[in-house]
Amino acid sequence: MSDEHTNGGRIKEITSVSNPIIKDIRLLEKKRHREETNSFIAEGMKLIIDAIDSGWTLKTLLFAASHRENDNVKNLATRAVTGGADVLIVPEKVLGTITRRDNPQMVVGIFERQLLNASGIKPEAEDVWIALDRIRDPGNLGTIMRTADAVGAKGIILVGETTDPFATETVRATMGSIFAIPVARLGEAEFIDFAKNWNGFVVGTHLAGSVDYRAPQYSGRPTLLIMGNEQSGMPPPLVDVCEQLIRIPQVGRADSLNLAIATGVCLYEVRRHALALEERESRI
Ligand code: SAM
């Protein structure tokens, strides 16, 4: 193992999967360890560069020894060390065990988590925030974060006990949007209080909603869009804080839409006016 000190972070070469540093990094697959260390894993060079560019703190950069001569990797490693991160040069199989992938990305970053609390949410103008009630599925959460980013929503509020936004599977499903969409976590009672004081439109999605999702006027004020749990939908206390309950029409045998799909359908309607404007502006 080589150990090189610089003015910023340190560069080490590690060859063994059983090295204690690697063992510690592998523990990041556990939610408790991610919380205790305030860290999470993100994979891929472009995503890591974008994250650093947007101000996220990179704690450790790992890259495959086979790519040590790659100029992009070298530049990123220099940037990481200068910024104070440790850099670990490892065999590809180590990256495979950390990311649990047969064909791992050649560059992996360990970042500091960022979570907002209620006071960090300051809606204005036509801002859209999405509240997810007890969301369970990491793929759904990642997909919703990616869609929220695509439509220009301002952030996600996780309500109650939810899947972890920093789980590797969720981060992967966001395709980089984890670094673009702020996430807040609120208990149910705290959220109800927050929603009651929302200075705008509080709209819930419900299979028994009496209004078509295309009917409300979404422009002109901030929107808080509430989505129900995958299994049980939205509980009565959340229903009670909604100014309106909207429903996406369905024909056929399906009981309901998948949560991430329903969120996407609603978000494109909530943001229709703003997206049309933004698209026109970008063509000028
Ligand atoms: N069995 C649950 C129920 O009775 O509500 C189904 C929950 S559904 C899989 C998960 C969430 O997706 C719902 O709580 C709602 O937010 C949204 N959703 C799914 N299909 C919808 C539809 N047709 N209209 C409005 N919201 C829908």
Side-chain angles (χ1 to χ4, degrees):
M1 184 194 295
S2 70
D3 192 344
E4 184 183 322
H5 293 259
T6 70
N7 288 336
R10 300 190 312 171
I11 302 176
K12 271 179 193 288
E13 180 147 7
I14 293 176
T15 51
S16 164
V17 175
S18 54
N19 178 288
I21 297 174
I22 300 303
K23 278 187 173 166
D24 203 47
I25 291 173
R26 286 176 68 187
L27 285 177
L28 287 174
E29 71 182 288
K30 296 192 191 312
K31 183 180 179 190
R32 210 177 72 191
H33 194 68
R34 288 193 295 273
E35 286 174 354
E36 281 168 2
T37 59
N38 198 26
S39 307
F40 69 102
I41 292 175
E43 304 153 88
M45 169 103 76
K46 180 181 178 309
L47 193 143
I48 292 169
I49 293 171
D50 286 351
I52 299 171
D53 286 345
S54 357
W56 286 69
T57 303
L58 177 68
K59 297 168 115 181
T60 305
L61 180 79
L62 298 98
F63 68 84
S66 56
H67 282 55
R68 69 169 86 226
E69 296 308 328
N70 178 302
D71 283 343
N72 294 330
V73 172
K74 282 200 274 190
N75 289 341
L76 177 55
T78 304
R79 197 173 166 194
V81 173
T82 311
D86 290 335
V87 173
L88 305 177
I89 306 166
V90 296
E92 284 180 30
K93 69 171 186 293
V94 167
L95 294 177
T97 58
I98 288 170
T99 58
R100 291 181 161 274
R101 287 200 143 184
D102 291 337
N103 295 307
Q105 297 267 5
M106 291 302 115
V107 186
V108 168
I110 298 169
F111 285 89
E112 194 173 290
R113 301 182 322 152
Q114 287 183 23
L115 272 173
L116 293 179
N117 52 31
S119 62
I121 305 170
K122 298 185 174 69
E124 53 183 41
E126 297 187 343
D127 287 357
V128 175
W129 282 77
I130 305 138
L132 301 171
D133 164 42
R134 296 164 297 144
I135 180 168
R136 308 305 299 178
D137 186 278
N140 274 347
L141 178 53
T143 305
I144 290 171
M145 292 180 75
R146 182 178 176 185
T147 311
D149 183 16
V151 301
K154 288 293 169 193
I156 304 267
I157 304 168
L158 300 174
V159 183
E161 275 295 308
T162 68
T163 191
D164 182 10
F166 299 108
T168 305
E169 193 184 343
T170 310
V171 172
R172 205 174 273 159
T174 72
M175 298 292 285
S177 296
I178 183 83
F179 296 113
I181 285 289
V183 178
R185 194 198 285 286
L186 274 60
E188 188 186 276
E190 192 186 5
F191 174 72
I192 288 170
D193 219 39
F194 170 84
K196 281 182 180 161
N197 290 302
W198 182 263
N199 189 18
F201 185 32
V202 180
V203 60
T205 50
H206 205 289
L207 301 183
S210 52
V211 181
D212 185 296
Y213 75 107
R214 292 161 289 195
Q217 163 97 25
Y218 296 106
S219 59
R221 54 185 175 158
T223 296
L224 177 60
L225 175 70
I226 309 181
M227 306 299 301
N229 165 266
E230 286 102 333
Q231 272 79 44
S232 54
M234 207 190 294
L238 290 198
V239 167
D240 289 346
V241 296
C242 296
E243 182 181 326
Q244 219 156 32
L245 288 181
I246 53 171
R247 181 174 45 88
I248 305 165
Q250 290 182 213
V251 294
R253 293 182 57 184
D255 287 338
S256 62
L257 294 167
N258 160 275
L259 170 63
I261 299 285
T263 310
V265 169
C266 291
L267 278 178
Y268 267 92
E269 186 59 25
V270 173
R271 291 280 297 156
R272 186 160 59 93
H273 170 76
L275 288 170
L277 277 177
E278 278 163 21
E279 242 182 47
R280 257 203 307 279
E281 275 163 13
S282 69
R283 269 193 249 122
I284 294 169

